[in-house]
Amino acid sequence: MTTEQAAALLGVPRTNVPNMESGRSGISPERVRTLASNYGCTDRALVEALATMAAGREKGWWEAYRGQLRDGFLDIAELEWRATRLRIAVTVHLPGLLQTGEHARAVFEAVIPRLSPNDVDVRVAHRIDRQQVLDRPSPPALDVILHEAALRMEFGGPAVARRQLEHLLHMSERETVILRVIPFKAGGFPGAGQSVVYAEAPVPRLDTVELDSTHGPEFIDSETQLGKYRAQLDAAQAVALTPAATYDFINALADDL
């Protein structure tokens, strides 16, 4: 359907359609449903999920950091906030949602080029603020696969590392949080060199994968790629310890520090 045809069906100027499609202007739930009908979309669950997103146009807490941090940091926070479930696999760094403030500070102080003390403070504050999503009345389920290497990285020194491991144990006791460790002896596994956050939405077609990189986050939402990352996470989970065995494993590491 051409832009002109779509605009005519909506009864709006031609320029309104590309502005809505690109996110430059807002869109109401009613207009989402109208567009879906006009375009012949019969996936009711998808349409209602999109309409719900359009209705939730209030500014999130992360907007307070706009202008202080790159947009990618804000996008990660919103992605976590909107997700119904988060599946995370990490090799060297611990997930930001499970980091203590002192661990996060040690991570940001190791960034190259070095950050100013103020930039470090802002990034630490943002990382800790992200964790409020886990304290909501209905938080997203958090399923994390950690490699032993991530647990043994002593960011900030042994004392900080020990408190970080104790924090992981405490968080793992929550009903909505599951931790699984892949020990060194498990050998290789799919995605061993990559950190992956798979954010599940109310409907699978709105799922998103976030990949960490040196230059910032990358977001993937194509159906083919999503399938590959689901399979990768399933394979990694298959070689990981059970949540109960993971608790004992982390507890033993903490006792050694």
Side-chain angles (χ1 to χ4, degrees), residues 121-257:
D121 289 344
V122 171
R123 292 196 186 197
V124 171
H126 175 263
R127 179 151 296 181
I128 298 306
D129 278 346
R130 281 169 52 196
Q131 298 174 7
Q132 63 185 286
V133 69
L134 301 178
D135 296 321
R136 293 186 334 194
S138 298
L142 182 63
D143 195 337
V144 180
I145 300 172
L146 298 166
H147 194 269
E148 182 177 345
L151 299 175
R152 291 191 178 274
M153 295 288 287
E154 296 185 9
F155 283 100
V160 172
R162 179 183 176 84
R163 288 192 289 272
Q164 174 63 71
L165 293 178
E166 291 172 344
H167 179 66
L168 289 177
L169 292 173
H170 174 70
M171 293 300 294
S172 72
E173 294 172 352
R174 296 192 179 195
E175 291 185 3
T176 56
V177 177
I178 296 176
L179 298 187
R180 312 173 201 268
V181 166
I182 298 179
F184 284 128
K185 66 180 182 180
F189 60 94
Q194 192 175 53
S195 295
V196 176
V197 177
Y198 191 108
E200 295 184 0
V203 293
R205 288 181 62 185
L206 296 179
D207 289 356
T208 304
V209 165
E210 184 256 312
L211 304 177
D212 283 333
S213 66
T214 302
H215 59 271
E218 297 180 11
F219 298 95
I220 296 172
D221 57 13
S222 74
E223 192 169 348
T224 300
Q225 293 295 335
L226 290 175
K228 290 182 179 179
Y229 282 104
R230 284 195 299 271
Q232 178 177 304
L233 286 166
D234 289 343
Q237 182 174 314
V239 301
L241 300 177
T242 65
T246 290
Y247 188 96
D248 294 338
F249 191 93
I250 297 175
N251 197 34
L253 289 182
D255 287 343
D256 289 340
L257 291 173

Side-chain angles (χ1 to χ4, degrees), residues 12-99:
V12 299
R14 177 189 179 283
T15 55
N16 284 32
V17 173
N19 284 337
M20 288 187 292
E21 292 177 340
S22 64
R24 290 192 297 269
S25 65
I27 184 170
S28 68
E30 293 74 19
R31 186 155 284 176
V32 168
R33 296 186 180 96
T34 300
L35 281 170
S37 177
N38 292 347
Y39 295 160
C41 178
T42 58
D43 189 334
R44 186 171 182 80
L46 172 62
V47 173
E48 288 308 309
L50 290 171
T52 299
M53 291 170 62
R57 292 162 61 181
E58 71 283 353
K59 290 186 177 181
W61 63 262
W62 49 86
E63 290 296 334
Y65 289 91
R66 193 170 297 281
Q68 301 182 73
L69 294 171
R70 295 196 305 271
D71 288 348
F73 285 91
L74 280 60
D75 292 339
I76 291 172
E78 183 172 6
L79 181 71
E80 294 168 342
W81 192 263
R82 306 296 185 194
T84 58
R85 182 188 181 205
L86 292 163
R87 298 183 69 188
I88 302 175
V90 290
T91 306
V92 178
H93 287 288
L94 299 176
L97 290 176
L98 297 177
Q99 291 181 11

Side-chain angles (χ1 to χ4, degrees), residues 2-14 17 38:
T2 66
T3 301
E4 289 77 6
Q5 290 172 324
L9 286 172
L10 281 177
V12 299
R14 177 189 179 283
V17 173
N38 292 347

